[in-house]
Amino acid sequence: PAKQLPDLELENLSLCPPQALNDEMCEICEVWTAESLFPCRVCSRVYHDGCLRRMGYLQNDSAVEVTETAHTETGWSCYYCDNLNLLLTEEEMYSLMETLKNCKIIPETCLTLDDFLRYKHLVHKQQFEKPMAEAQEEQATLQFSALDPDKKGHIEWHDFLSHESIQLLQKLRPQNALLRLLTAKERERARAAFLALDQDNDGFIREGECRRVQHTWFRKHQKEAPSCNVSISHVGPMSESSPASSSSGKSQEKTPQAAEQEEPRLIDWSGFLKENVAYILAARPNSAALHLQPPA
C-alpha cells in the first residue's frame, strides 16, 4: 500500500508557495527577451509564440486562443499541461494501450459510440470479472454524449484520452499521490476558492458549498470570468470507483426530511483539496470537452 502522508506534511504540500516563473525565460529557446511571453495557467513555464509555432505546438486555431486568453483570468495551458496522458506512468499507459488494442481502437482516431461502449464493456469485465449491467451501459452512453456535446456522433481522440487518463488516475492512485500532481498555481487557486467560501474565517465550509464549487468554479468558463476561476469542463459521469461518485449515490438514497434533519458536513482546507483534486486535474486541458461529472 502507498505511504500515507501525515496531516502536517499534507498541509505543507498543499500550501507551498508558487515557484518563480523561470525568470520569464522561454521554456523552448531558454532565452529571455523583451517580447511578450505566454504563461501557462497551470505550471510555471512561459513561452514565445514564435517558438511555439516553430515547434508545431501552436496551430492557426490555437494561436488565436493563446493570444486572447493567455493573459486573462481564463488563461491557457501549455502543451505539457494540456496533455493529461503525460500524468500516467509507463505501466499505466501500457495497460491503457493494451486495452485499446484488444478493443481494436486505433490511436489518434475518433471513437464512435460503438467503439466507446466496446471499450467500456472490456474495462468493466477486466475490473469486476462480470459483464456490464444495462444501467451501467446507459451511464456509459451518457458519458459518450457528454464527451460529444456538439452531437457529431464521435468523440475526438484527445478528449477520450483525457477522460480515460483521469479515470485511470482515480482508480489506480491513492489520493495523496494525486495531490502530489497538483502544481503550485493549482493549489493557490484552490486555496483562493476555499477562502472565498469560508465567509466566517473558521477554517471550514459546508459540503454543499464544496459541491457547488465543482459545478461552477471547476468548469469551462468565459474569457471575462472573475478571478480564481479555473478552466474545466462539466464532464460525463464519474467512475463508480470515485469517492465523490460513491458519496453522491449515498446522498441520493436519503429522504428530503432526513437530509434536512442531518447536520451539514463541514470540510476543512485539507478535505476540500482532497475532494476536488480530480476536478482540478481535469481542468487542465484547453479543450472544451467534458471529462467528469460532479455529484448532483
Side-chain angles (χ1 to χ4, degrees), residues 191 194-195 198 200-205 266-270:
R191 183 65 171 169
F194 179 83
L195 292 176
D198 183 18
D200 52 8
N201 298 317
D202 65 350
F204 293 92
I205 65 172
L266 296 179
I267 300 174
D268 62 8
W269 159 240
S270 177

Side-chain angles (χ1 to χ4, degrees), residues 73-91:
E73 291 296 339
T74 299
W76 159 85
S77 58
C78 70
Y79 57 89
Y80 284 112
C81 301
D82 186 56
N83 187 356
L84 296 181
N85 183 231
L86 295 177
L87 296 176
L88 302 179
T89 64
E90 289 186 15
E91 292 79 8

Side-chain angles (χ1 to χ4, degrees), residues 42-73:
V42 177
C43 67
S44 60
R45 301 179 183 95
V46 294
Y47 302 85
H48 293 124
D49 66 330
C51 292
L52 290 169
R53 292 174 192 275
R54 189 173 64 254
M55 298 297 290
Y57 295 128
L58 201 60
Q59 305 300 327
N60 291 335
D61 292 342
S62 57
V64 174
E65 179 177 14
V66 171
T67 54
E68 289 184 351
T69 64
H71 295 289
T72 66
E73 291 296 339

Side-chain angles (χ1 to χ4, degrees), residues 172-191:
L172 301 177
R173 304 275 186 95
Q175 216 162 31
N176 286 334
L178 292 181
L179 289 171
R180 289 187 181 279
L181 296 176
L182 297 179
T183 67
K185 283 186 177 180
E186 287 172 320
R187 292 190 295 269
E188 188 179 55
R189 288 190 172 190
R191 183 65 171 169

